[in-house]
Amino acid sequence: MKITFCGASKMVTGSCYYIETDRRKFLVDCGMFQGKMSELNFEPFPFEPADLDFVIITHSHIDHIGRLPLLFKKGFNGSIFVTSATADLMEIMLKDSAHIQELESKWQNKKRQRKGLVPVKPLYTVEDTLRIPEYIIKCSYGKWIEIDENICIMFKDAGHLLGSSIVIIKIREKNDEVLITFSGDLGNNNMPIIRDYEYVNYSDYLIIESTYGDRLHGNKTEEIKKLYDIIINTVKKGGNVIIPAFSVGRAQEILYLLNYYIDIEKRKELSNIEIYLDSPLAKEALEIYEKHKECYDEEAINLLGKDFDLLRFNNLYTISSAEESIALNDKNGVVIISSSGMCEAGRIKHHLKHNIWKDATSIVFVGYQAEGTLGRKILDNAKKVKIFGEEMVVKAKIYNLPGLSGHADIEGLINWVKNIKNGVSRRIFIVHGEEKASENFKKEIGKLMNTGVHIPELFEKVEL
């Protein structure tokens, strides 16, 4: 049995793991590369897509599903195993991804035409995404799904996003039964709406993320108070608050925090401020969140029992059309939540273009910013950034609230590993983290157990 690390190795993007047994070939995740690694999206897969039997998806973020349509274009026609909520989110996420790529290639080709260059094609189109739902097999948490007589899989809640999963794979090969666990992206505990991550009892091999493997998030309640204070103080000065947020997951959680908060006085102040959710995708995701209440935590269920509308409130305005989005350019003293979360594409780039050069603006980051992305450059205190080819001075106040991240910090990661009741017997692989974070996490795991720990290189193949 072999595993090839086809993405998310010493980086936080492009999750994709290729597993070969004596009878089957399959993937866990098939994500898109973002930021400085985005050129890898156009490279051939390091396996033959037509030879794959099936794909297992941990959750619906684009860095975990973004190259699925390309996989089908290149010949794959097997089943895709996902949770029910992930299946619904995947459908809208992939269409949105394709739409953005079509627009980006159209914009690029206008420039290329003027230079006499050959036009480029998008990685895939909206039409390429339409056939995917017929291959999806929806699965429940906590039940073994038999793929064949030698392979079973189980999904457990990862607490990262609606429908997100830890995947346990049981493989029988040559009289040996092996358990392989993929952590997926582990959630930051006590986050809004969804349940905390579940634990596993035992695994022979563990492939675990390390996004925040070298950092603590800080006090979540204090971060929420800080978010409220930033909004209230910025708006008082006539400035706009721009919040880049992933359309699926972070956007809904931020709405929950803005809608339900224990400080009544601050909530009253906030209720007079116009809040705009400018993302058609986030608007669609709202409906899916409301549909999948089986993923909600106890607090959210209790609030629903009191007829409390978790994600909608009187001063929230959801924006759909491009015209409505453009009209926000003339607004002052408002909050704009828009995607993409790393500021690489979509409407957030337009809002940054119209606000980043203003002293009164506040830009609030509430999620991870990968190396090479526009979001990371802004967060790293760049004095100037390029947006749509135009160099812009950064005068806005920049805030980072990692406590509102959907990823577990080092304490949360260690807590999850410590609670593997019977340990990991053979080997641990650390993925989905920049090198410094992965190395620190490796050191911390070494203090807990004697199991061998390895940080794989991109495209490294390992015999299990």
Side-chain angles (χ1 to χ4, degrees), residues 155-186:
F155 293 94
K156 295 187 81 105
D157 202 329
H160 170 67
L161 172 71
L162 195 82
S164 64
S165 301
I166 298 155
V167 175
I168 304 168
I169 308 171
K170 187 191 293 181
I171 300 174
R172 295 185 190 93
E173 187 183 64
K174 296 175 183 174
N175 301 317
D176 188 19
E177 185 174 278
V178 174
L179 279 181
I180 306 173
T181 299
F182 289 82
S183 74
D185 287 0
L186 292 171

mmCIF file of all heavy atoms in Angstrom, residues 155-186:
data_model
loop_
_atom_site.group_PDB
_atom_site.id
_atom_site.type_symbol
_atom_site.label_atom_id
_atom_site.label_comp_id
_atom_site.label_asym_id
_atom_site.label_seq_id
_atom_site.Cartn_x
_atom_site.Cartn_y
_atom_site.Cartn_z
ATOM 1 N N PHE A 155 -17.032 8.539 8.520
ATOM 2 C CA PHE A 155 -16.891 9.983 8.713
ATOM 3 C C PHE A 155 -17.197 10.331 10.174
ATOM 4 O O PHE A 155 -18.191 9.862 10.725
ATOM 5 C CB PHE A 155 -17.867 10.745 7.809
ATOM 6 C CG PHE A 155 -17.576 10.628 6.342
ATOM 7 C CD1 PHE A 155 -18.194 9.659 5.566
ATOM 8 C CD2 PHE A 155 -16.696 11.493 5.720
ATOM 9 C CE1 PHE A 155 -17.942 9.545 4.210
ATOM 10 C CE2 PHE A 155 -16.423 11.394 4.358
ATOM 11 C CZ PHE A 155 -17.044 10.414 3.596
ATOM 12 N N LYS A 156 -16.337 11.156 10.764
ATOM 13 C CA LYS A 156 -16.602 11.709 12.097
ATOM 14 C C LYS A 156 -16.522 13.230 11.980
ATOM 15 O O LYS A 156 -15.808 13.761 11.126
ATOM 16 C CB LYS A 156 -15.580 11.186 13.120
ATOM 17 C CG LYS A 156 -15.679 9.678 13.354
ATOM 18 C CD LYS A 156 -14.779 9.209 14.473
ATOM 19 C CE LYS A 156 -15.405 9.453 15.811
ATOM 20 N NZ LYS A 156 -15.936 8.245 16.456
ATOM 21 N N ASP A 157 -17.249 13.932 12.841
ATOM 22 C CA ASP A 157 -17.340 15.387 12.741
ATOM 23 C C ASP A 157 -16.007 16.047 13.074
ATOM 24 O O ASP A 157 -15.440 15.830 14.147
ATOM 25 C CB ASP A 157 -18.432 15.898 13.692
ATOM 26 C CG ASP A 157 -18.960 17.267 13.298
ATOM 27 O OD1 ASP A 157 -18.181 18.055 12.733
ATOM 28 O OD2 ASP A 157 -20.144 17.550 13.564
ATOM 29 N N ALA A 158 -15.514 16.885 12.142
ATOM 30 C CA ALA A 158 -14.240 17.594 12.349
ATOM 31 C C ALA A 158 -14.431 18.969 12.974
ATOM 32 O O ALA A 158 -13.454 19.634 13.328
ATOM 33 C CB ALA A 158 -13.493 17.728 11.021
ATOM 34 N N GLY A 159 -15.686 19.443 13.077
ATOM 35 C CA GLY A 159 -15.954 20.715 13.746
ATOM 36 C C GLY A 159 -15.381 21.938 13.070
ATOM 37 O O GLY A 159 -15.231 22.992 13.681
ATOM 38 N N HIS A 160 -15.087 21.840 11.776
ATOM 39 C CA HIS A 160 -14.429 22.931 11.052
ATOM 40 C C HIS A 160 -15.417 23.740 10.215
ATOM 41 O O HIS A 160 -15.269 24.949 10.052
ATOM 42 C CB HIS A 160 -13.339 22.328 10.159
ATOM 43 C CG HIS A 160 -12.718 23.264 9.174
ATOM 44 N ND1 HIS A 160 -11.943 24.331 9.554
ATOM 45 C CD2 HIS A 160 -12.757 23.292 7.811
ATOM 46 C CE1 HIS A 160 -11.528 24.983 8.466
ATOM 47 N NE2 HIS A 160 -12.015 24.375 7.396
ATOM 48 N N LEU A 161 -16.418 23.076 9.693
ATOM 49 C CA LEU A 161 -17.352 23.643 8.731
ATOM 50 C C LEU A 161 -18.571 22.738 8.710
ATOM 51 O O LEU A 161 -18.469 21.549 9.054
ATOM 52 C CB LEU A 161 -16.675 23.674 7.346
ATOM 53 C CG LEU A 161 -17.496 24.053 6.125
ATOM 54 C CD1 LEU A 161 -17.820 25.542 6.164
ATOM 55 C CD2 LEU A 161 -16.721 23.737 4.845
ATOM 56 N N LEU A 162 -19.714 23.260 8.317
ATOM 57 C CA LEU A 162 -20.899 22.420 8.169
ATOM 58 C C LEU A 162 -20.567 21.200 7.304
ATOM 59 O O LEU A 162 -20.115 21.340 6.174
ATOM 60 C CB LEU A 162 -22.012 23.235 7.505
ATOM 61 C CG LEU A 162 -23.414 22.648 7.582
ATOM 62 C CD1 LEU A 162 -24.056 22.973 8.939
ATOM 63 C CD2 LEU A 162 -24.291 23.198 6.451
ATOM 64 N N GLY A 163 -20.733 20.008 7.864
ATOM 65 C CA GLY A 163 -20.470 18.778 7.114
ATOM 66 C C GLY A 163 -19.025 18.326 7.084
ATOM 67 O O GLY A 163 -18.702 17.293 6.479
ATOM 68 N N SER A 164 -18.127 19.074 7.721
ATOM 69 C CA SER A 164 -16.699 18.722 7.658
ATOM 70 C C SER A 164 -16.416 17.422 8.404
ATOM 71 O O SER A 164 -17.093 17.099 9.379
ATOM 72 C CB SER A 164 -15.830 19.846 8.218
ATOM 73 O OG SER A 164 -16.094 20.045 9.593
ATOM 74 N N SER A 165 -15.390 16.700 7.950
ATOM 75 C CA SER A 165 -15.177 15.344 8.453
ATOM 76 C C SER A 165 -13.731 14.982 8.711
ATOM 77 O O SER A 165 -12.820 15.434 8.007
ATOM 78 C CB SER A 165 -15.716 14.329 7.433
ATOM 79 O OG SER A 165 -17.075 14.534 7.205
ATOM 80 N N ILE A 166 -13.577 14.152 9.719
ATOM 81 C CA ILE A 166 -12.405 13.306 9.907
ATOM 82 C C ILE A 166 -12.755 12.011 9.178
ATOM 83 O O ILE A 166 -13.872 11.516 9.297
ATOM 84 C CB ILE A 166 -12.182 13.017 11.407
ATOM 85 C CG1 ILE A 166 -11.911 14.319 12.173
ATOM 86 C CG2 ILE A 166 -11.075 11.991 11.621
ATOM 87 C CD1 ILE A 166 -12.260 14.240 13.646
ATOM 88 N N VAL A 167 -11.843 11.480 8.391
ATOM 89 C CA VAL A 167 -12.129 10.267 7.627
ATOM 90 C C VAL A 167 -11.266 9.118 8.134
ATOM 91 O O VAL A 167 -10.036 9.230 8.183
ATOM 92 C CB VAL A 167 -11.875 10.484 6.119
ATOM 93 C CG1 VAL A 167 -12.054 9.183 5.350
ATOM 94 C CG2 VAL A 167 -12.802 11.552 5.568
ATOM 95 N N ILE A 168 -11.928 8.030 8.511
ATOM 96 C CA ILE A 168 -11.219 6.808 8.930
ATOM 97 C C ILE A 168 -11.409 5.765 7.834
ATOM 98 O O ILE A 168 -12.541 5.493 7.410
ATOM 99 C CB ILE A 168 -11.774 6.270 10.263
ATOM 100 C CG1 ILE A 168 -11.717 7.350 11.352
ATOM 101 C CG2 ILE A 168 -10.979 5.039 10.715
ATOM 102 C CD1 ILE A 168 -12.506 7.002 12.600
ATOM 103 N N ILE A 169 -10.313 5.196 7.364
ATOM 104 C CA ILE A 169 -10.365 4.200 6.285
ATOM 105 C C ILE A 169 -9.805 2.878 6.813
ATOM 106 O O ILE A 169 -8.679 2.834 7.307
ATOM 107 C CB ILE A 169 -9.547 4.664 5.055
ATOM 108 C CG1 ILE A 169 -9.984 6.072 4.630
ATOM 109 C CG2 ILE A 169 -9.709 3.677 3.903
ATOM 110 C CD1 ILE A 169 -9.104 6.701 3.573
ATOM 111 N N LYS A 170 -10.602 1.837 6.702
ATOM 112 C CA LYS A 170 -10.173 0.490 7.113
ATOM 113 C C LYS A 170 -9.876 -0.310 5.849
ATOM 114 O O LYS A 170 -10.746 -0.492 4.988
ATOM 115 C CB LYS A 170 -11.293 -0.193 7.909
ATOM 116 C CG LYS A 170 -10.904 -1.527 8.544
ATOM 117 C CD LYS A 170 -12.125 -2.261 9.085
ATOM 118 C CE LYS A 170 -12.742 -1.518 10.254
ATOM 119 N NZ LYS A 170 -13.938 -2.261 10.785
ATOM 120 N N ILE A 171 -8.634 -0.758 5.728
ATOM 121 C CA ILE A 171 -8.200 -1.465 4.512
ATOM 122 C C ILE A 171 -7.643 -2.835 4.869
ATOM 123 O O ILE A 171 -6.751 -2.957 5.719
ATOM 124 C CB ILE A 171 -7.127 -0.649 3.752
ATOM 125 C CG1 ILE A 171 -7.681 0.727 3.339
ATOM 126 C CG2 ILE A 171 -6.628 -1.412 2.523
ATOM 127 C CD1 ILE A 171 -6.673 1.659 2.725
ATOM 128 N N ARG A 172 -8.177 -3.850 4.219
ATOM 129 C CA ARG A 172 -7.626 -5.202 4.355
ATOM 130 C C ARG A 172 -6.770 -5.489 3.132
ATOM 131 O O ARG A 172 -7.228 -5.383 1.998
ATOM 132 C CB ARG A 172 -8.747 -6.247 4.453
ATOM 133 C CG ARG A 172 -9.601 -6.121 5.691
ATOM 134 C CD ARG A 172 -10.610 -7.261 5.785
ATOM 135 N NE ARG A 172 -11.576 -7.002 6.835
ATOM 136 C CZ ARG A 172 -12.754 -6.394 6.638
ATOM 137 N NH1 ARG A 172 -13.088 -6.009 5.414
ATOM 138 N NH2 ARG A 172 -13.584 -6.187 7.635
ATOM 139 N N GLU A 173 -5.523 -5.874 3.380
ATOM 140 C CA GLU A 173 -4.596 -6.143 2.283
ATOM 141 C C GLU A 173 -3.590 -7.194 2.736
ATOM 142 O O GLU A 173 -2.914 -7.019 3.755
ATOM 143 C CB GLU A 173 -3.882 -4.848 1.863
ATOM 144 C CG GLU A 173 -3.021 -4.995 0.632
ATOM 145 C CD GLU A 173 -2.283 -3.706 0.290
ATOM 146 O OE1 GLU A 173 -1.436 -3.272 1.096
ATOM 147 O OE2 GLU A 173 -2.562 -3.132 -0.773
ATOM 148 N N LYS A 174 -3.513 -8.286 1.985
ATOM 149 C CA LYS A 174 -2.543 -9.354 2.276
ATOM 150 C C LYS A 174 -2.597 -9.791 3.742
ATOM 151 O O LYS A 174 -1.603 -9.751 4.468
ATOM 152 C CB LYS A 174 -1.129 -8.898 1.912
ATOM 153 C CG LYS A 174 -0.946 -8.624 0.431
ATOM 154 C CD LYS A 174 0.421 -8.055 0.117
ATOM 155 C CE LYS A 174 0.535 -7.724 -1.357
ATOM 156 N NZ LYS A 174 1.798 -7.040 -1.688
ATOM 157 N N ASN A 175 -3.771 -10.164 4.200
ATOM 158 C CA ASN A 175 -3.986 -10.653 5.576
ATOM 159 C C ASN A 175 -3.686 -9.634 6.666
ATOM 160 O O ASN A 175 -3.498 -9.991 7.826
ATOM 161 C CB ASN A 175 -3.160 -11.932 5.832
ATOM 162 C CG ASN A 175 -3.528 -13.037 4.867
ATOM 163 O OD1 ASN A 175 -4.704 -13.252 4.598
ATOM 164 N ND2 ASN A 175 -2.523 -13.716 4.323
ATOM 165 N N ASP A 176 -3.602 -8.372 6.291
ATOM 166 C CA ASP A 176 -3.341 -7.311 7.269
ATOM 167 C C ASP A 176 -4.491 -6.304 7.211
ATOM 168 O O ASP A 176 -4.920 -5.913 6.116
ATOM 169 C CB ASP A 176 -2.017 -6.612 6.941
ATOM 170 C CG ASP A 176 -1.582 -5.634 8.025
ATOM 171 O OD1 ASP A 176 -2.086 -5.740 9.160
ATOM 172 O OD2 ASP A 176 -0.745 -4.763 7.735
ATOM 173 N N GLU A 177 -5.007 -5.905 8.368
ATOM 174 C CA GLU A 177 -6.048 -4.867 8.406
ATOM 175 C C GLU A 177 -5.449 -3.594 8.978
ATOM 176 O O GLU A 177 -4.885 -3.605 10.074
ATOM 177 C CB GLU A 177 -7.232 -5.319 9.262
ATOM 178 C CG GLU A 177 -8.388 -4.329 9.219
ATOM 179 C CD GLU A 177 -9.628 -4.835 9.936
ATOM 180 O OE1 GLU A 177 -10.378 -5.616 9.320
ATOM 181 O OE2 GLU A 177 -9.826 -4.457 11.096
ATOM 182 N N VAL A 178 -5.566 -2.523 8.233
ATOM 183 C CA VAL A 178 -4.919 -1.263 8.598
ATOM 184 C C VAL A 178 -5.966 -0.155 8.700
ATOM 185 O O VAL A 178 -6.847 -0.043 7.852
ATOM 186 C CB VAL A 178 -3.854 -0.879 7.535
ATOM 187 C CG1 VAL A 178 -3.275 0.497 7.830
ATOM 188 C CG2 VAL A 178 -2.741 -1.908 7.510
ATOM 189 N N LEU A 179 -5.849 0.671 9.750
ATOM 190 C CA LEU A 179 -6.686 1.862 9.888
ATOM 191 C C LEU A 179 -5.860 3.098 9.550
ATOM 192 O O LEU A 179 -4.797 3.324 10.135
ATOM 193 C CB LEU A 179 -7.205 1.998 11.320
ATOM 194 C CG LEU A 179 -8.427 1.176 11.738
ATOM 195 C CD1 LEU A 179 -8.781 1.495 13.186
ATOM 196 C CD2 LEU A 179 -9.619 1.428 10.840
ATOM 197 N N ILE A 180 -6.338 3.886 8.593
ATOM 198 C CA ILE A 180 -5.696 5.151 8.229
ATOM 199 C C ILE A 180 -6.683 6.272 8.537
ATOM 200 O O ILE A 180 -7.831 6.230 8.091
ATOM 201 C CB ILE A 180 -5.327 5.190 6.738
ATOM 202 C CG1 ILE A 180 -4.465 3.976 6.351
ATOM 203 C CG2 ILE A 180 -4.593 6.484 6.400
ATOM 204 C CD1 ILE A 180 -4.202 3.870 4.861
ATOM 205 N N THR A 181 -6.251 7.271 9.309
ATOM 206 C CA THR A 181 -7.127 8.384 9.668
ATOM 207 C C THR A 181 -6.613 9.683 9.055
ATOM 208 O O THR A 181 -5.437 10.028 9.192
ATOM 209 C CB THR A 181 -7.197 8.544 11.201
ATOM 210 O OG1 THR A 181 -7.735 7.344 11.763
ATOM 211 C CG2 THR A 181 -8.097 9.713 11.585
ATOM 212 N N PHE A 182 -7.508 10.373 8.363
ATOM 213 C CA PHE A 182 -7.235 11.717 7.856
ATOM 214 C C PHE A 182 -8.007 12.697 8.730
ATOM 215 O O PHE A 182 -9.238 12.626 8.810
ATOM 216 C CB PHE A 182 -7.685 11.847 6.402
ATOM 217 C CG PHE A 182 -6.832 11.092 5.423
ATOM 218 C CD1 PHE A 182 -7.025 9.733 5.223
ATOM 219 C CD2 PHE A 182 -5.818 11.729 4.722
ATOM 220 C CE1 PHE A 182 -6.243 9.021 4.325
ATOM 221 C CE2 PHE A 182 -5.026 11.032 3.819
ATOM 222 C CZ PHE A 182 -5.237 9.665 3.623
ATOM 223 N N SER A 183 -7.304 13.608 9.371
ATOM 224 C CA SER A 183 -7.981 14.552 10.270
ATOM 225 C C SER A 183 -8.858 15.527 9.517
ATOM 226 O O SER A 183 -9.776 16.117 10.091
ATOM 227 C CB SER A 183 -6.954 15.333 11.093
ATOM 228 O OG SER A 183 -6.301 16.307 10.284
ATOM 229 N N GLY A 184 -8.609 15.713 8.193
ATOM 230 C CA GLY A 184 -9.224 16.844 7.509
ATOM 231 C C GLY A 184 -8.760 18.114 8.187
ATOM 232 O O GLY A 184 -7.678 18.153 8.786
ATOM 233 N N ASP A 185 -9.552 19.175 8.115
ATOM 234 C CA ASP A 185 -9.239 20.402 8.855
ATOM 235 C C ASP A 185 -9.991 20.348 10.177
ATOM 236 O O ASP A 185 -11.230 20.300 10.190
ATOM 237 C CB ASP A 185 -9.664 21.636 8.064
ATOM 238 C CG ASP A 185 -8.755 21.911 6.877
ATOM 239 O OD1 ASP A 185 -7.797 21.141 6.683
ATOM 240 O OD2 ASP A 185 -9.009 22.889 6.159
ATOM 241 N N LEU A 186 -9.254 20.344 11.272
ATOM 242 C CA LEU A 186 -9.879 20.263 12.602
ATOM 243 C C LEU A 186 -10.346 21.646 13.051
ATOM 244 O O LEU A 186 -9.635 22.638 12.897
ATOM 245 C CB LEU A 186 -8.892 19.689 13.614
ATOM 246 C CG LEU A 186 -8.533 18.210 13.404
ATOM 247 C CD1 LEU A 186 -7.386 17.805 14.317
ATOM 248 C CD2 LEU A 186 -9.746 17.309 13.654
#
